[in-house]
């Protein structure tokens, strides 16, 4: 079902005003995973305006990359496969000898731009942009000849992944690290932080102000400014294969991951100390649904599976 773009601003404000109504809401919206958005799509109303907030130029908005020769503009965000996407995009566009001399192993951070190779990218955690840089990105946004794509992921899966990689992984179960490095408002102590309490802690911070790994997707990738042509679901290889082919790469993301699967296996992922499932209750899902309700409504997700898993089994299914 195709929904008129004119209804999206109303949908956005309605869900922001009453996020608890959104867990099972599936509008079948045009901004649909794995489909062209079509000519009726309009970017969202300003995310910041809808929340009554303003942000400086340093407001972080995902990894944005473009190449005029290949004719694309793409964006991927934290906890939506950004590490593998960065590695893949780098490998497909930069010469092997350059990669070998400039990158160490699987280091994921991509320099701002490689103009000599026609590759442009907005830097990670950019600390402000000049007027000229802002104008350049605005021109890219308006360039109708570019194939514009974005990668998304179910907010519940993204949340579980964030707990796994940041609290269990990088912070090695340290509350202090989680608070200092990722600005999560957790209470002090040495006792373990449950997934439920982790979600509760995130709700203490306004969604737009959350650290990017936990921030709702509507506040990333300039969803309020860019009219994307294609929305790829991270978990659907057909979607990512299509994006790879549209950019003209000889290897798809799926094939690239297959060739590097040992690098991303559970055995080497933070020493194998992270877990795939975590204890939860329906109240856990309630908090997540309120926090990510706009994402769910806009992208056509529901929290039905999360409710069922937490209610019947007492743990997440991701």
């Amino acid at each position: 079902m195709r929904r008129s773009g004119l209804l999206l601003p109303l949908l956005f404000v309605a869900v922001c005003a009453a996020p608890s109504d959104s867990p099972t809401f599936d509008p079948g919206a045009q901004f649909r995973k794995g489909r062209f958005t079509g000519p009726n799509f309009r970017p969202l109303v300003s995310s910041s305006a809808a929340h009554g907030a303003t942000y400086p130029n340093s407001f972080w908005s995902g990894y944005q990359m473009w190449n005029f020769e290949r004719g694309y503009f793409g964006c991927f965000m934290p906890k939506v496969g950004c590490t593998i996407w960065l590695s893949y995009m780098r490998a497909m566009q930069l010469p092997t000898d350059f990669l070998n001399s400039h990158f160490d192993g699987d280091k994921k951070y991509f320099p701002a731009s490689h103009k000599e190779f026609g590759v442009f990218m907005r830097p990670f955690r950019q600390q402000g942009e000049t007027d000229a840089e802002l104008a350049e990105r605005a021109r890219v946004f308006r360039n109708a000849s570019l194939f514009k794509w974005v990668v998304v992921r179910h907010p519940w899966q993204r949340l579980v992944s964030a707990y796994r990689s940041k609290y269990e992984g990088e912070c090695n179960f340290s509350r202090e690290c989680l608070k200092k490095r990722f600005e999560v408002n957790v209470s002090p102590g040495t006792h373990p932080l449950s997934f439920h309490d982790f979600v509760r802690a995130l709700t203490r911070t306004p969604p737009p102000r959350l650290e990017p790994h936990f921030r709702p997707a509507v506040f990333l990738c300039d969803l309020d400014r860019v009219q994307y042509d294609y929305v790829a679901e991270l978990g659907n290889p057909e979607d990512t294969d299509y994006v790879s082919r549209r950019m003209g790469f000889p290897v798809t993301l799926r094939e690239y991951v297959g060739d590097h699967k040992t690098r991303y296996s559970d055995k080497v992922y933070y020493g194998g100390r992270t877990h795939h499932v975590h204890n939860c209750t329906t109240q856990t899902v309630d908090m997540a649904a309120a926090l990510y309700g706009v994402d769910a409504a806009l992208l056509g997700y529901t929290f039905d599976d999360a409710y069922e898993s937490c209610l019947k089994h007492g743990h997440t299914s991701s």
Side-chain angles (χ1 to χ4, degrees), residues 162-277:
Y163 175 83
R164 182 189 182 205
S165 69
K166 303 310 166 191
Y167 172 64
E168 294 186 330
E170 287 188 39
C171 287
N172 198 8
F173 303 93
S174 167
R175 287 170 175 255
E176 182 181 358
C177 166
L178 194 64
K179 186 171 186 175
K180 183 177 181 180
R181 186 179 301 180
F182 298 103
E183 304 172 2
V184 179
N185 190 10
V186 295
S187 57
T190 58
H191 55 290
L193 179 73
S194 68
F195 177 69
H196 180 91
D197 288 340
F198 167 74
V199 178
R200 186 194 304 276
L202 294 180
T203 64
R204 300 186 184 119
T205 300
R209 291 294 182 184
L210 286 169
E211 201 274 342
H213 290 88
F214 319 123
R215 190 178 299 163
V218 293
F219 302 109
L220 295 166
C221 285
D222 283 307
L223 292 183
D224 60 339
R225 300 178 64 191
V226 182
Q227 184 168 330
Y228 286 100
D229 300 302
Y230 196 80
V231 184
E233 164 64 44
L234 178 67
N236 187 342
E238 293 182 0
D239 289 356
T240 56
D241 283 357
Y242 178 80
V243 170
S244 297
R245 290 193 298 270
R246 277 296 302 264
M247 290 187 290
F249 294 155
V251 176
T252 66
L253 179 74
R254 172 168 32 180
E255 293 167 336
Y256 182 80
V257 172
D259 290 340
H260 297 76
K261 60 184 177 182
T262 56
R263 189 182 302 174
Y264 302 99
S265 69
D266 287 344
K267 291 182 179 179
V268 300
Y269 189 70
Y270 295 110
R273 65 172 175 266
T274 68
H275 303 81
H276 283 283
V277 297

Side-chain angles (χ1 to χ4, degrees), residues 83-84 87 90 103-109 256 260 263-264:
T83 300
I84 185 63
S87 178
R90 185 177 68 217
F103 297 96
D104 179 19
D106 190 36
K107 185 178 180 182
K108 68 180 179 180
Y109 298 112
Y256 182 80
H260 297 76
R263 189 182 302 174
Y264 302 99

Side-chain angles (χ1 to χ4, degrees), residues 1 5 13 47 51 57 77 95 98 118 124 128 170 211 217 237 245 270-271 305 309 313:
M1 177 179 69
V13 174
S47 303
H51 280 259
N57 277 352
M77 59 195 76
F98 180 86
F124 177 68
E170 287 188 39
E211 201 274 342
R245 290 193 298 270
Y270 295 110
D305 289 343
S309 181
H313 308 291

Side-chain angles (χ1 to χ4, degrees), residues 53-72:
T54 56
Y55 308 103
N57 277 352
S58 60
F59 188 59
W60 194 90
S61 194
Y63 296 91
Q64 299 176 1
M65 185 180 294
W66 59 96
N67 184 310
F68 294 109
E69 181 178 355
R70 292 186 178 275
Y72 77 83

